[in-house]
Amino acid sequence: MNENVVDLVGLLRSEVEALMGELGEPAYRGRQLFHWVQARRTRDVNAMSSLPRGVRAVLVEHVGVSRPEVSRVQRSLDGTRKYLFRLEDGEEIESVLIPDDGRLTTCISTQAGCPLACRFCLTGLMGLRRNLRAAEIVGQILALQERLEQGERITNIVLMGMGEPLLNFTQVERALRILSDEQGAHFSPRRITLSTVGHIPGIQKLAASDLGINLAVSLNATTDAVRDEIMPINRRWPIAELLGACRAYPLPNRRWLTFEYVMLDGVNDSREDAKRLVGLLHGIRCKINLIPFNTAPDLPDRASPRERVEVFQRVLHDAGLTATIRESRGWDISAACGMLRVEKENA
Ligand code: SAH
């Protein structure tokens, strides 16, 4: 897209209305334009037939509608699809579509790479390349919607792809407001989940906002000694402070926090860990998602044996906690949790 034009994909509805106002048009024209871009996914301004011809002629000079370019698609035996997107400056990111039980969940990225270097995560090995712009976050959803099969509809969005969403708060917030706008793609915030390593200022900002999305926290350990080792961010915001922020998080009625817990063999998967976890989460309305570790040659850890994951789950259940074991999806195409890393081909 030409640098001198405004990318409509990253604008809030109110901003599109203001832009139309500058052209001397009433607000409802802005609403129509937003609808064309976000709901109908029309990229060609000239095809936006409800707008007067004269308005379209002026708009064409000033606006554009971007899309990330799909550079590769991989399809798993279980129906999961992974998309590699190339952005305008050549950076690459990944998104995943996961069909499951009548739902179609999309897992999207918020950064190219990630600065946090969790020991068990492949994206962490890349380091941070850069934050994504709101248009690039929204663009993943628009591009995926254009590639759905007959009868498919995206039902859920999880911000669990590449990157730490709370380190890119402003653009993530903007993207979520655009995606949930009733004149746009209109995703209910209840069907959107943001997953974080536990960036406390970000959790507080989210708590103070009116976004109304679900929060998942990647806890992954029950002692600071272990969490410091596997998630360096813990040295800055240790477990007690993190759980304090979770306790202070205002949960709407009938909503739950989610704690994610990647099961690493001999690291965080003992019966004692499970018992400690029960103690730590006391009084927090939450569900626990136990995630089987997805191994990779570049990662030092091994996966916990299934029996140990089940024992861990049983201890949580016996204490009255809700704990599920996440099924590993898209494993055969490296689309599973923590497997997103752009593989550079050996030229
Ligand atoms: N930065 C955010 C979102 C991206 S990671 C966060 O940390 O929550 C999404 C989830 O994948 C996190 O719960 C993380 O702990 C988990 N994960 C990362 N690497 C993994 C791996 N190799 N196997 C299984 N889960 C992994």
Side-chain angles (χ1 to χ4, degrees), residues 164-340:
E164 167 52 42
L166 294 181
L167 288 179
N168 187 14
F169 193 93
T170 308
Q171 297 301 309
V172 166
E173 178 184 27
R174 169 179 282 275
L176 295 180
R177 289 197 194 285
I178 294 169
L179 287 167
S180 53
D181 193 295
E182 64 190 31
Q183 296 294 324
H186 200 181
F187 283 99
S188 162
R190 294 173 158 272
R191 293 183 171 266
I192 302 176
T193 300
L194 181 151
S195 177
T196 177
V197 290
H199 181 271
I200 293 182
I203 293 177
Q204 290 165 338
K205 266 198 266 180
L206 199 60
S209 82
D210 58 353
L211 276 171
I213 58 169
N214 301 301
L215 178 63
V217 174
S218 301
L219 189 57
N220 297 340
T222 63
T223 65
D224 282 324
V226 172
R227 200 163 189 269
D228 283 351
E229 280 295 307
I230 61 175
M231 301 179 73
I233 186 98
N234 195 66
R235 296 176 203 154
R236 180 79 195 276
W237 289 298
I239 295 176
E241 283 181 43
L242 170 56
L243 295 179
C246 292
R247 285 204 161 77
Y249 193 81
L251 271 181
N253 280 341
R254 297 172 43 225
R255 294 240 234 150
W256 307 61
L257 286 180
T258 300
F259 288 97
E260 293 156 287
Y261 198 98
V262 181
M263 302 291 293
L264 304 172
D265 183 23
V267 175
N268 63 1
D269 61 351
S270 68
R271 197 181 270 276
E272 287 64 42
D273 279 302
K275 289 185 187 153
R276 257 195 306 272
L277 188 56
V278 171
L280 287 173
L281 299 183
H282 185 77
I284 304 181
R285 193 156 83 239
C286 66
K287 299 189 258 221
I288 299 136
N289 215 324
L290 301 175
I291 312 180
F293 173 56
N294 292 304
T295 55
D298 293 348
L299 299 175
D301 290 287
R302 281 163 305 163
S304 304
R306 183 76 190 187
E307 315 81 71
R308 210 172 309 142
V309 180
E310 285 170 6
V311 168
F312 200 96
Q313 182 188 35
R314 202 163 325 120
V315 173
L316 300 177
H317 277 175
D318 290 348
L321 288 165
T322 305
T324 50
I325 301 175
R326 184 179 291 174
E327 211 192 315
S328 187
R329 303 296 307 276
W331 198 88
D332 52 336
I333 55 168
S334 292
C337 286
M339 308 282 280
L340 301 184

Side-chain angles (χ1 to χ4, degrees), residues 61-264:
E61 302 292 323
H62 299 287
V63 303
V65 181
S66 70
R67 274 296 181 278
E69 189 189 311
V70 175
S71 55
R72 195 145 92 108
V73 186
Q74 283 174 283
R75 186 174 282 271
S76 163
L77 294 170
D78 67 20
T80 300
R81 282 106 82 189
K82 181 169 85 166
Y83 290 81
L84 176 64
F85 289 111
R86 176 187 289 274
L87 307 175
E88 271 186 340
D89 60 354
E91 287 299 337
E92 291 181 312
I93 53 164
E94 295 181 320
S95 314
V96 187
L97 272 177
I98 311 151
D100 186 23
D101 232 5
R103 281 188 308 233
L104 182 61
T105 300
T106 125
C107 177
I108 59 173
S109 297
T110 55
Q111 299 182 309
C114 181
L116 296 177
C118 296
R119 183 173 92 185
F120 47 82
C121 176
L122 278 179
T123 305
L125 293 178
M126 296 171 66
L128 178 66
R129 306 297 307 251
R130 67 171 174 83
N131 277 336
L132 299 189
R133 292 183 286 113
E136 294 167 331
I137 300 171
V138 172
Q140 294 169 64
I141 297 289
L142 299 181
L144 293 175
Q145 281 175 318
E146 288 166 348
R147 288 167 176 81
L148 296 179
E149 287 159 13
Q150 191 85 41
E152 279 187 330
R153 192 174 59 87
I154 295 173
T155 59
N156 297 68
I157 299 177
V158 296
L159 278 59
M160 294 185 188
M162 297 165 81
E164 167 52 42
L166 294 181
L167 288 179
N168 187 14
F169 193 93
T170 308
Q171 297 301 309
V172 166
E173 178 184 27
R174 169 179 282 275
L176 295 180
R177 289 197 194 285
I178 294 169
L179 287 167
S180 53
D181 193 295
E182 64 190 31
Q183 296 294 324
H186 200 181
F187 283 99
S188 162
R190 294 173 158 272
R191 293 183 171 266
I192 302 176
T193 300
L194 181 151
S195 177
T196 177
V197 290
H199 181 271
I200 293 182
I203 293 177
Q204 290 165 338
K205 266 198 266 180
L206 199 60
S209 82
D210 58 353
L211 276 171
I213 58 169
N214 301 301
L215 178 63
V217 174
S218 301
L219 189 57
N220 297 340
T222 63
T223 65
D224 282 324
V226 172
R227 200 163 189 269
D228 283 351
E229 280 295 307
I230 61 175
M231 301 179 73
I233 186 98
N234 195 66
R235 296 176 203 154
R236 180 79 195 276
W237 289 298
I239 295 176
E241 283 181 43
L242 170 56
L243 295 179
C246 292
R247 285 204 161 77
Y249 193 81
L251 271 181
N253 280 341
R254 297 172 43 225
R255 294 240 234 150
W256 307 61
L257 286 180
T258 300
F259 288 97
E260 293 156 287
Y261 198 98
V262 181
M263 302 291 293
L264 304 172

